Amino acid sequence: MRTQIAIIGAGPSGLLLGQLLHGQGIDTVILENRSADYVLGRIRAGVIEQGMVGLLEEAGVAARLHGEGLVHGGTEITFDDTRHRIDFKKLTGKTVTVYGQTEITRDLMEARAASGAPTIYEAQDVTPLDFDGEKPRVRYRKDGKDHELACDFIAGCDGFHGVSRQSVPAGSIELFERVYPFGWLGILSDTPPVSDELIYINHERGFALCSMRSHTRSRYYLQCSLAEHVEDWSDSRFWDELKLRLDKEGRERLVTGASIEKSIAPLRSFVAEPMRFGRLFLAGDAAHIVPPTGAKGLNLAASDVHYLSRALVEFYREKSSAGIDHYSGRALARIWKAERFSWWMTTMLHRFPESSGFDRRLQHAELDYLVSSSAAAVAMAENYVGLPY
Ligand code: FAD
Ligand code: DHB
């Protein structure tokens, strides 16, 4: 079998890249090691920048997002039991859209199926080969048979634990990492959200976030210790802890109910440099991770795909390798800004186990500055709604 671009991974990065390239007449085959249902069962991000909305429009998959997504013109930040609003629309002219990653993935999967472009689910032992030469290939096994896919380029869109980054010789890649000493316990419930906008909460018992998926479905997160087990968190224990971290109005308005998903995610900052190795490119979580506090993970995956799709179109249309030569540098410049913002939001809002009285006073001063200085609020808003591509 042969294709122009072999894409490893059918998460948002791989599916969006496939759809954008298909729109430009470039052939792709996607190899995914899980089933489509498993990929759709993962509950993850929920906040979409305008830049990503534009890419989804370009890919022809934004109709449901425009119908069902919730446009938010600001967010709330709570500390000292007091809520403050950061008005994105007034400060930057931009908004964000609340629409689940699961729904984006579903829309992309349906569009790909309709286009007839192949996705091979449950492909085992996917292995990128010979990407340092002119004729890269990807080997995989399906239903007990070995297969080989010849291609012009390989796009490694296979997430943090994927095979693409791990196939690069150790001497050719540099890794940068920070692991945080806590995780997020998240639940999804069919209850109306506690507020019209998201609430980021700094509290002495730990960070909390009130988010949503629709007017009838809520997503809440609590900072928790990494030693916690999800089985030890009954729904009532979760709601009791959330009430302790909410302000008075939030406590009174919170509607509780049965959870439909509950999971714990660790927090990490991670960047791999560079993002191109001959004819292999990394995109999305395969190349970088941010802690979720700034809602940047999915949006960064989309900006990588933006740069990569344009570079590949330029290669085929104009016979120019300028775009692919600049891909890594362009993507990394944006990635490091999002890494900085996500680290800053995480540091400002969480309770660090080792923090001293001095650290806590500084954290309070940072929050106080954010809500009392328009320059500080603009800087936060500009990063949250997304820097230009
Ligand atoms: P992924 O979504 O990880 O997709 C990679 C795909 O590759 C997967 O389908 C995987 O099965 C497949 N794959 C892996 N290995 C192989 C292989 N060897 N062969 C073939 N296929 C393979 N971001 C936010 O902004 N807000 C959040 O609240 C948030 N919560 C998150 C919670 C969790 C638990 C995780 C893990 C991430 C979260 N993120 C969040 C980050 C966001 O979901 C990711 O940035 C986004 O999914 C990146 O998309 P991706 O396509 O690059 O990677
Ligand atoms: C969601 C997750 C985030 O990490 C965030 O910053 C905002 C919203 C969410 O899952 O809804």
Side-chain angles (χ1 to χ4, degrees):
M1 193 160 51
R2 196 187 148 77
T3 188
Q4 288 175 294
I5 317 294
I7 299 176
I8 306 181
S13 305
L15 289 166
L16 181 58
L17 180 65
Q19 224 37 43
L20 290 170
L21 293 178
H22 175 77
Q24 299 295 322
I26 298 172
D27 288 338
T28 60
V29 172
I30 301 185
L31 300 169
E32 163 63 51
N33 67 354
R34 304 287 194 159
S35 68
D37 283 345
Y38 182 93
V39 172
L40 282 174
R42 292 188 292 224
I43 309 294
R44 290 180 171 180
V47 176
I48 315 298
E49 296 171 6
Q50 276 183 16
M52 181 168 185
V53 171
L55 282 182
L56 294 167
E57 284 167 355
E58 189 183 324
V61 292
R64 210 156 62 89
L65 175 141
H66 285 309
E68 297 172 22
L70 305 174
V71 174
H72 283 196
T75 195
E76 302 205 89
I77 307 239
T78 297
F79 64 100
D80 294 343
D81 275 336
T82 307
R83 263 194 236 177
H84 305 264
R85 181 162 189 267
I86 307 287
D87 190 331
F88 302 150
K89 181 87 180 149
K90 192 175 91 195
L91 296 168
T92 69
K94 291 196 201 163
T95 56
V96 293
T97 303
V98 175
Y99 186 69
Q101 177 170 335
T102 315
E103 305 312 314
I104 291 177
T105 308
R106 189 189 304 281
D107 296 340
L108 284 163
M109 276 181 178
E110 284 176 5
R112 187 163 178 91
S115 76
T119 308
I120 297 159
Y121 286 98
E122 299 180 88
Q124 288 133 26
D125 301 330
V126 176
T127 313
L129 296 166
D130 297 340
F131 49 81
D132 50 350
E134 294 284 304
K135 292 186 175 166
R137 334 172 255 134
V138 184
R139 190 180 292 153
Y140 65 98
R141 197 194 317 275
K142 171 81 183 167
D143 299 330
K145 282 199 200 115
D146 289 326
H147 299 267
E148 215 169 80
L149 176 63
C151 56
D152 297 335
F153 296 99
I154 303 171
C157 300
D158 47 351
F160 183 64
H161 299 288
V163 67
S164 300
R165 191 184 66 249
Q166 288 165 29
S167 305
V168 174
S172 308
I173 191 165
E174 204 174 349
L175 308 177
F176 302 87
E177 183 170 50
R178 170 154 306 175
V179 176
Y180 298 87
F182 40 73
W184 278 18
L185 169 65
I187 73 165
L188 192 66
S189 66
D190 278 328
T191 53
V194 68
S195 176
D196 292 340
E197 292 182 337
L198 272 60
I199 314 175
Y200 288 84
I201 302 165
N202 171 293
H203 193 276
E204 61 185 22
R205 297 183 66 87
F207 169 77
L209 169 59
C210 305
S211 182
M212 65 193 73
R213 290 292 175 272
S214 69
H215 294 303
T216 55
R217 182 168 285 188
S218 299
R219 179 79 168 148
Y220 295 102
Y221 297 97
L222 292 174
Q223 175 184 351
C224 66
S225 144
L226 286 169
E228 295 285 354
H229 299 285
V230 78
E231 310 77 67
D232 297 332
W233 283 85
S234 63
D235 290 353
S236 59
R237 182 176 171 206
F238 185 97
W239 295 121
D240 288 347
E241 183 63 36
L242 179 60
K243 278 185 198 154
L244 290 172
R245 300 185 194 186
L246 275 167
D247 61 342
K248 186 168 175 292
E249 187 192 343
R251 265 192 304 277
E252 286 167 5
R253 290 194 51 179
L254 182 71
V255 180
T256 63
S259 67
I260 49 178
E261 194 264 357
K262 202 183 282 156
S263 54
I264 295 180
L267 268 69
R268 180 194 305 271
S269 300
F270 172 87
V271 182
E273 291 187 2
M275 289 166 64
R276 178 203 176 182
F277 309 89
R279 287 179 171 252
L280 168 70
F281 302 96
L282 302 180
D285 279 17
H288 43 77
I289 296 289
V290 285
T293 327
K296 286 283 155 262
L298 178 60
N299 292 295
L300 266 190
S303 64
D304 290 355
V305 166
H306 162 82
Y307 295 123
L308 184 55
S309 61
R310 270 158 185 67
L312 291 169
V313 170
E314 192 177 312
F315 177 84
Y316 286 109
R317 275 234 181 107
E318 296 163 31
K319 311 261 178 293
S320 160
S321 56
I324 57 178
D325 291 342
H326 287 114
Y327 166 65
S328 180
R330 280 185 184 140
L332 282 164
R334 196 169 191 282
I335 289 159
W336 276 111
K337 290 187 192 111
E339 290 285 347
R340 185 206 66 82
F341 176 66
S342 304
W343 161 85
W344 174 76
M345 285 281 282
T346 303
T347 308
M348 179 174 65
L349 289 165
H350 288 74
R351 182 70 184 250
F352 283 71
E354 75 279 16
S355 69
S356 63
F358 182 82
D359 296 326
R360 270 177 242 149
R361 288 288 192 283
L362 279 187
Q363 192 185 54
H364 191 271
E366 185 84 47
L367 284 160
D368 210 6
Y369 179 54
L370 172 65
V371 301
S372 56
S373 151
S374 54
V378 168
M380 185 271 181
E382 187 169 81
N383 280 277
Y384 194 93
V385 299
L387 298 173
Y389 288 172

